[in-house]
Amino acid sequence: MTGARSTGAAGRLRPGRVVRVERRFSEVAVDGRVVLADAQEVSSPDPLTTVCTGDWAVVELPATDGADGTDGAAGGRGRTAGPSQPVLRALLPRRTAFVRSTSSKRSEGQVVAANLDAVLVVVSLAVDPRAARVERLLALAWESGATPVVVLTKADTVDDAEQIHAEIAATAPGVQVLTVSARTGDGLDVLGAVLAGVAEHPTAALVGQSGAGKSTLANALLGAEVLATGAERSDGKGRHTTVRRELHVMPADGPVPGGGVLIDTPGLRGVGLYDSADGLRQVFAEIAELATGCRFGDCGHQGEPGCAVLAAVEDGTLARRRLDSYRKLLREEEWIASRSDARLRAERERQWKVIHKSVRAAGYRQDPRRR
């Protein structure tokens, strides 16, 4: 902070964490309380860089708050009048972020939640789980930099939970797959231990389809009915209840030893990949390993001679569905990357046109021969 702000506002600057975003305002946890702060200064039309739930930020408290050690009067001798309400002055760099592509045709990324230690991919056992959707979510979870964990919910509603668990585990190499029932409490202690093992006082985000049981699971981890839950529909899918991303504090004496932070997110109807090449390699690790045995280093696994991946499909070592899913997601990722590159090139060209136009206009005004 420089100038007048550095001398008058330094005592009012505090670190805070974004709890919820509401248009130009954000609820921020600062100094042990939650305040409503003006977030216009850190807002951006780019959904990748704008303020998001889970962000750490620099908060300037109002002079009347008394946070600078004064009596709260603003504008007195030796003081600089501050804002009338808390203001987000800057966002701190994100350690991790769960990003998906937006629903627009601009191929932009949208940050769903930031500064995560774990991403809980929540899947309901009340309906037949779609392995392809789990793979898609896991690709984004791996790419986030956080630890992905698959949580199979509503275990009390099915008789073949163990079989489904084995099927999902086969699509999630290197990922812990847990079966829980938020209603009966079964498996919550295991989930709590896993989260505590990821980080001390972890931040975990719940992601998944509407009706997967995220809000019910969140209430179980929070130890209270904090979030609204919907009654199940006749098809067992449940109802969409969460309408915005929100951060909650898990109690130290709850299922997660020592407590932590939980971010609940709305159900994801469409889950588009975004810059997820590394995540895809993690999700389909067995294909990447098999590919090292192909005769050609640039083998596309489309019929080339000596392809170890296709040989594994033929002998049953690799499921055909896994290879088909990998190809589909890889094509989508490559398409998104090409669209993103084209958009960035167009944006740079637009910016240069604006610069050239302003330079020409300035030159015309300053050239004495043209006056």
Side-chain angles (χ1 to χ4, degrees):
M1 311 294 282
T2 60
R5 184 178 295 170
S6 65
T7 58
R12 297 193 299 272
L13 297 180
R14 295 287 188 275
R17 195 165 193 192
V18 177
V19 173
R20 186 169 65 180
V21 178
E22 293 282 359
R23 296 187 179 181
R24 60 167 287 179
F25 296 96
S26 294
E27 292 184 8
V28 186
V30 56
D31 288 350
R33 57 197 170 112
V34 176
V35 300
L36 186 65
D38 188 334
Q40 190 169 16
E41 190 168 325
V42 297
S43 295
S44 167
D46 184 351
L48 265 183
T49 59
T50 196
V51 60
C52 175
T53 301
D55 271 329
W56 286 97
V58 177
V59 185
E60 182 180 353
L61 298 175
T64 55
D65 193 80
D68 56 358
T70 70
D71 59 6
R77 180 177 298 177
R79 305 190 188 101
T80 300
S84 59
Q85 71 174 94
V87 176
L88 294 187
R89 293 300 184 191
L91 298 180
L92 301 182
R94 292 163 177 158
R95 294 186 299 108
T96 60
F98 185 89
V99 182
R100 66 164 180 167
S101 65
T102 62
S103 57
S104 69
K105 297 181 180 180
R106 291 174 53 85
S107 305
E108 296 175 326
Q110 177 190 41
V111 182
V112 175
N115 298 307
L116 307 172
D117 297 300
V119 175
L120 304 184
V121 177
V122 183
V123 181
S124 171
L125 291 173
V127 294
D128 292 333
R130 292 178 55 190
R133 175 175 287 272
V134 174
E135 291 164 344
R136 181 180 292 271
L137 286 170
L138 283 176
L140 297 177
W142 277 117
E143 196 69 41
S144 73
T147 299
V149 179
V150 176
V151 184
L152 304 178
T153 62
K154 306 182 183 181
D156 56 297
T157 64
V158 296
D159 298 324
D160 56 348
E162 292 184 1
Q163 179 182 344
I164 300 176
H165 180 281
E167 294 172 355
I168 295 299
T171 70
V175 177
Q176 295 196 69
V177 180
L178 309 177
T179 303
V180 305
S181 170
R183 289 181 175 176
T184 65
D186 291 343
L188 289 179
D189 56 340
V190 178
L191 174 57
V194 168
L195 289 178
V198 170
E200 186 177 4
H201 312 303
T203 295
L206 299 170
V207 299
Q209 199 171 12
S210 297
K214 297 188 303 298
S215 296
T216 303
L217 177 61
N219 286 335
L221 292 173
L222 296 172
E225 295 296 316
V226 177
L227 304 177
T229 58
E232 288 190 354
R233 303 187 323 200
S234 58
D235 56 8
K237 292 185 178 181
R239 298 181 186 276
H240 179 92
T241 53
T242 301
V243 296
R244 59 176 62 86
R245 290 160 279 174
E246 189 167 359
L247 183 149
H248 304 274
V249 177
M250 293 184 287
D253 59 351
V256 181
V261 170
L262 191 67
I263 298 178
D264 188 30
T265 67
L268 300 176
R269 293 184 178 87
V271 187
L273 298 181
Y274 184 83
D275 194 17
S276 306
D278 290 339
L280 286 176
R281 281 190 287 270
Q282 292 277 7
V283 174
F284 298 95
E286 79 275 31
I287 295 179
E289 183 177 354
L290 286 168
T292 61
C294 292
R295 179 183 300 177
F296 303 107
D298 59 348
C299 183
H301 320 309
Q302 299 285 350
E304 297 87 342
C307 176
V309 174
L310 292 180
V313 172
E314 292 298 324
D315 66 21
T317 305
L318 176 67
R320 168 67 67 176
R321 190 208 65 79
R322 284 282 284 173
L323 180 57
D324 291 343
S325 181
Y326 173 67
R327 287 171 173 167
K328 178 181 178 181
L329 293 178
L330 191 61
R331 287 195 301 269
E332 179 180 331
E333 169 61 24
E334 291 172 346
W335 182 83
I336 289 291
S338 66
R339 286 290 301 273
S340 180
D341 289 343
R343 180 179 61 82
L344 290 175
R345 285 196 301 271
E347 181 64 19
R348 283 195 296 267
E349 291 175 1
R350 187 192 68 80
Q351 291 174 351
W352 275 114
K353 287 180 180 179
V354 172
I355 293 173
H356 291 160
K357 183 177 180 180
S358 62
V359 168
R360 287 196 301 269
Y364 177 83
R365 288 194 301 269
Q366 294 174 5
D367 191 340
R369 293 173 297 180
R370 296 185 178 182
R371 290 180 179 174

